[in-house]
Amino acid sequence: MIKLFKFVAISEGISYLVLFFNMLIIKHNNIDLYKTLLFPIGLAHGLLFISYIILAFQIKSSQHWKLKDLLIVQVASLLPFATFYVEKKYVKNA
């Protein structure tokens, strides 16, 4: 379960950055490509985000996280690059 969480954390962070790239770079240069990519990238990111949240709750006890740690892990899903930090600092034994 922990290896799955690490994979989802990294994937969620990458999908978040790809979504930003699509919104900030591609949108201004090629509106057709932007519209084509928006749905699949958004769908992938949404599924990874939900998986990240659910898995964080499931591995809370095995990682011995306090409520504060769980909140930090959850808030990290909202910030760019933060899931990479969580994967390195908070996930052990994988």
Side-chain angles (χ1 to χ4, degrees):
M1 185 72 75
I2 295 167
K3 286 185 180 184
L4 178 62
F5 180 76
K6 288 181 89 163
F7 174 77
V8 169
I10 292 169
S11 299
E12 198 273 338
I14 291 170
S15 72
Y16 199 21
L17 296 175
V18 169
L19 191 61
F20 274 143
F21 179 77
N22 187 45
M23 289 171 36
L24 298 174
I25 306 297
I26 296 176
K27 183 178 182 178
H28 297 292
N29 295 325
N30 188 342
I31 197 74
D32 292 330
L33 181 60
Y34 165 77
K35 289 179 182 178
T36 303
L37 294 177
L38 184 61
F39 180 75
I41 293 171
L43 179 64
H45 174 68
L47 292 173
L48 288 167
F49 174 79
I50 292 168
S51 300
Y52 178 89
I53 298 295
I54 292 170
L55 287 170
F57 277 111
Q58 290 181 341
I59 68 166
K60 175 187 179 285
S61 61
S62 70
Q63 294 296 299
H64 307 292
W65 290 340
K66 298 174 188 146
L67 181 59
K68 177 185 170 188
D69 296 330
L70 179 63
L71 290 174
I72 289 170
V73 169
Q74 298 292 335
V75 169
S77 67
L78 302 173
L79 304 172
F81 299 104
T83 58
F84 304 120
Y85 170 77
V86 164
E87 187 267 330
K88 289 291 184 201
K89 180 167 170 59
Y90 288 95
V91 182
K92 300 169 187 74
N93 305 326

